[in-house]
Amino acid sequence: RRVLFRSSIPAHRAGMLFLHCVHTFTRILPKVHSTGILQKLSEFGMIQAVRQFLHKERSMDMAQTTKNAIRKGFLDLLEQRPLDKISVVDIADHCGVNRNTFYYYYCDIYALVREVLETELDRVLNAPPLCTSWYQLMMRVTAFMRANRRAVYHLYQSSQRDLLEREYYQVVYGAVEDLVRRTAEDLPLAETDVPSTAAVYTATLVGLLQSWLHYGMKHDEEQFVERVTRLTEGTLRHALERSCGVEKA
């Protein structure tokens, strides 16, 4: 072990390296310890386990960084042109990776689109504070679409629109289902009524948004969407109360 300290590294650099090692070890020790393998390892084995853990952690960080770059490059291009006019080569060139790197993470462009839809919509719909009403949920979705108008419209014009509609329906359904459960927290709601109620309100939300897209996301159509949402505000709670037989007179 003494040989390890015989180095040409300057003293101040060696001190910094030592502090970095201590910080890193104390950070990952609880994670490695949770696997239950430290008790069975020798000193050398423990060092090897820590090295393997650090290597895996660095690899995961690099993979996430690369995927983030691919997603950002794709979204940049989607602001400029319709989805059908974006190729894998375009995305790879724009974000500075090669085609093999793209295909390592995604089997095709539509796999990337599915992930982007899921992550972006989930980020918006589940951002704190969580929506506590049907109106808040609807307005949050329309605000997101308005802020990303060109990209959303370019997706809507895709020849694979049906596939994309199924994807965002599933994401929206998850957010609506969560809203149903929060709204019915103080009600003896039967579990079987949750999916049916969520399906009705998801279909309403998606249908209104598709109408807005169909007419070119015009302002008057957006006002119509907001008006319908206001008119139906409170109906979710009312429907859940009826389901539980606790409807107020």
Side-chain angles (χ1 to χ4, degrees), residues 179-189 194 237 240 244:
L179 177 62
V180 169
R181 294 185 183 280
R182 287 196 297 273
T183 305
E185 279 182 342
D186 60 335
L187 297 173
L189 183 67
V194 173
R237 174 71 185 192
L240 294 173
C244 301

Side-chain angles (χ1 to χ4, degrees), residues 19-246:
L19 290 175
H20 173 72
C21 291
V22 170
H23 172 73
T24 301
F25 188 78
T26 55
R27 178 173 58 84
I28 70 169
L29 182 59
K31 299 179 182 179
V32 178
H33 185 268
S34 66
T35 63
I37 63 173
L38 289 182
Q39 295 86 348
K40 304 176 183 179
L41 295 177
S42 62
E43 181 179 352
F44 176 77
M46 186 182 300
I47 294 173
Q48 290 296 103
V50 171
R51 285 177 175 172
Q52 290 174 6
F53 185 88
L54 285 173
H55 176 72
K56 182 178 179 181
E57 191 177 59
R58 282 195 297 268
S59 298
M60 291 175 64
D61 288 343
M62 291 177 62
Q64 192 58 52
T65 299
T66 302
K67 292 183 73 174
N68 288 342
I70 292 174
R71 285 200 295 264
K72 183 180 183 304
F74 169 69
L75 289 172
D76 289 344
L77 292 173
L78 196 60
E79 286 285 340
Q80 303 169 19
R81 67 188 83 158
L83 177 62
D84 291 344
K85 294 184 178 180
I86 299 176
S87 68
V88 171
V89 174
D90 293 333
I91 299 171
D93 290 344
H94 187 79
C95 61
V97 301
N98 58 47
R99 290 178 61 193
N100 290 337
T101 300
F102 178 93
Y103 284 117
Y104 179 80
Y105 295 107
Y106 305 101
C107 60
D108 56 26
I109 286 182
Y110 291 101
L112 171 60
V113 172
R114 285 192 292 271
E115 182 175 286
V116 167
L117 280 173
E118 182 177 342
T119 55
E120 291 300 310
L121 283 174
D122 183 72
R123 177 179 60 81
V124 170
L125 295 175
N126 294 306
L130 293 175
C131 296
T132 57
S133 71
W134 160 249
Y135 178 77
Q136 288 178 0
L137 182 65
M138 189 67 172
M139 290 301 98
R140 186 172 290 191
V141 175
T142 53
F144 169 77
M145 293 176 65
R146 191 188 313 112
N148 299 276
R149 180 184 298 268
R150 289 179 62 84
V152 169
Y153 200 61
H154 285 158
L155 281 176
Y156 180 74
Q157 292 176 315
S158 167
S159 59
Q160 298 293 324
R161 184 189 304 171
D162 291 345
L163 171 66
L164 301 178
E165 287 177 351
R166 287 196 298 271
E167 291 299 325
Y168 76 72
Y169 178 92
Q170 292 300 323
V171 178
V172 172
Y173 176 88
V176 174
E177 182 182 23
D178 289 342
L179 177 62
V180 169
R181 294 185 183 280
R182 287 196 297 273
T183 305
E185 279 182 342
D186 60 335
L187 297 173
L189 183 67
E191 183 64 28
T192 53
D193 286 342
V194 173
S196 56
T197 306
V200 169
Y201 281 84
T202 300
T204 303
L205 189 154
V206 171
L208 288 170
L209 296 180
Q210 286 177 340
S211 174
W212 185 30
L213 284 165
H214 178 74
Y215 289 103
M217 301 179 75
K218 296 178 181 178
H219 184 66
D220 55 346
E221 189 67 20
E222 183 179 0
Q223 288 181 327
F224 170 76
V225 171
E226 182 176 0
R227 181 62 178 165
V228 171
T229 307
R230 282 194 179 277
L231 289 173
T232 54
E233 176 67 2
T235 59
L236 175 57
R237 174 71 185 192
H238 184 62
L240 294 173
E241 289 175 349
R242 290 182 63 187
S243 170
C244 301
V246 293

